[in-house]
């Protein structure tokens, strides 16, 4: 039996202080780090640690490479930003296991959680996700756009607060334009919308506007967008800013 193992970890939204001690200890014990290159670049280099950075959209190959190294006795950490189970590498690793050789099912494997972007963003704003909410990935790389539209429409109708990941990429700038138009039409009344960009990094910015006056250029690929429910509101702060929160319950 080999001493190899594989851990699929989340590095949090950006700030090193938001990496959990469990994830940090696992990174410190690794021989090999696998991931999308901007995330691998966040791991501190040290002698004896091999970094395997790859481009986006090769998740399955990357997962298979990581599994093969663990099966060969290496201590492999697959890194994602935020949480590894939220639109990230953990599912890709399980897809590779399902399709892969039987011996991968005997591997010592752990998934270690991290702070996902919507939670880091919500904490900055106040408590916009304090009542029922859902998360939708706006990337249509892995699903048809019609599915995204149905889910957005029903989420607005069900009056969820909504977190939108991957709102905008250079290759599909039109997707968020139509998503925003759909939500504006479906919501009818106004709601709050938060554009949280690069949370917990030096480029962080937070912008709160009414959904009806939001424009697509307020988001980019480093932004997570939080749309409030009909109950989400602001409390003016003494310093001129505001907290955004959603009450825990609905009035009967
Ligand atoms: N696994 C990650 C999500 C990967 S999808 C997580 O749990 O956070 C990539 C998307 O996450 C980006 O397009 C953006 O919508 C969001 N995101 C990741 N880091 C972010 C940050 N620091 N600030 C705002 N949004 C972020």
């Amino acid at each position: 039996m080999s001493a190899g193992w594989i851990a699929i970890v989340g590095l949090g939204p950006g700030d090193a202080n938001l990496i959990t001690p469990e994830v940090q200890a696992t990174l410190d014990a690794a021989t090999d780090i696998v991931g999308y290159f901007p995330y691998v670049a966040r791991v501190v280099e040290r002698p004896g640690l091999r970094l395997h950075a790859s481009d986006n959209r090769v998740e399955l190959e990357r997962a298979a490479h990581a599994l093969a190294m663990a099966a060969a006795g290496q201590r492999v950490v697959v890194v994602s930003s935020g949480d590894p189970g939220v639109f990230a590498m953990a599912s890709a690793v399980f897809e590779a296991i399902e399709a892969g050789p039987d011996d991968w099912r005997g591997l010592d494997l752990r998934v270690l959680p991290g702070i996902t972007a919507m939670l880091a963003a919500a904490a900055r704003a106040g408590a916009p996700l304090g009542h029922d909410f859902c998360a939708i990935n706006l990337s249509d790389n892995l699903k048809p756009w019609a599915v995204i539209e149905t889910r957005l429409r029903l989420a607005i109708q069900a009056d969820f607060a909504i977190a939108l990941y991957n709102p905008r990429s250079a290759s599909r700038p039109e997707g968020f334009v139509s998503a925003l138009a759909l939500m504006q039409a479906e919501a009818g009344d106004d709601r709050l919308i938060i554009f949280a960009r690069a949370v917990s990094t030096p480029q962080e910015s937070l912008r709160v506007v009414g959904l009806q006056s939001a424009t697509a250029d307020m988001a980019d690929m480093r932004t997570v967008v939080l749309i409030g429910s009909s109950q989400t509101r602001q409390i003016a702060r003494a310093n001129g800013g505001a907290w955004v929160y959603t009450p825990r319950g609905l009035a009967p």
Side-chain angles (χ1 to χ4, degrees):
M1 193 58 202
S2 85
W5 49 253
I6 179 167
I8 307 121
V9 311
L11 297 176
D15 184 350
N17 285 315
L18 298 181
I19 298 176
T20 69
E22 179 185 49
V23 166
Q24 189 57 56
T26 303
L27 290 168
D28 293 343
T31 56
D32 295 86
I33 307 289
V34 175
Y36 178 38
F37 63 86
Y39 307 150
V40 171
R42 285 169 51 191
V43 176
V44 179
E45 296 192 49
R46 61 176 156 78
L49 183 67
R50 289 177 293 269
L51 304 179
H52 309 269
S54 47
D55 204 349
N56 225 345
R57 300 193 184 205
V58 293
E59 285 90 352
L60 268 185
E61 289 160 50
R62 188 191 291 150
H65 179 216
L67 288 158
M69 286 194 291
Q74 287 154 246
R75 302 190 296 277
V76 183
V77 177
V78 179
V79 292
S80 287
S81 74
D83 182 272
V86 179
F87 312 133
M89 281 305 293
S91 291
V93 170
F94 290 116
E95 281 175 42
I97 290 174
E98 209 171 24
D102 275 352
D103 65 317
W104 285 356
R105 295 175 187 225
L107 280 172
D108 174 356
L109 178 150
R110 289 170 300 154
V111 181
L112 305 182
I115 297 175
T116 189
M118 68 176 175
L119 299 185
R124 282 289 192 272
L129 305 180
H131 190 66
D132 297 344
F133 66 91
C134 66
I136 300 176
N137 187 350
L138 280 197
S139 166
D140 60 357
N141 289 340
L142 298 168
K143 64 189 164 191
W145 183 256
V147 170
I148 297 176
E149 287 194 333
T150 304
R151 290 183 181 168
L152 276 176
R153 182 173 295 116
L154 294 175
I156 294 275
Q157 282 175 17
D159 202 18
F160 283 117
I162 306 167
L164 300 178
Y165 284 75
N166 286 307
R168 214 146 190 248
S169 72
S171 59
R172 322 164 266 106
E174 68 295 341
F176 188 57
V177 176
S178 44
L180 205 49
L182 183 154
M183 292 188 297
Q184 285 165 339
E186 202 66 49
D189 55 348
D190 211 6
R191 297 191 186 201
L192 292 171
I193 179 167
I194 301 164
F195 294 92
R197 181 171 190 277
V199 176
S200 88
T201 79
Q203 294 81 41
E204 172 173 319
S205 71
L206 203 75
R207 186 168 183 180
V208 184
V209 299
L211 174 58
Q212 301 301 344
S213 44
T215 53
D217 62 333
M218 292 177 181
D220 66 7
M221 60 192 291
R222 298 191 70 191
T223 307
V224 66
V225 180
L226 305 180
I227 297 109
S229 75
S230 65
Q231 304 302 307
T232 304
R233 58 193 74 170
Q234 297 192 78
I235 303 175
R237 299 175 64 172
N239 69 5
W243 289 298
V244 180
Y245 92 106
T246 308
R248 289 170 301 149
L250 281 173

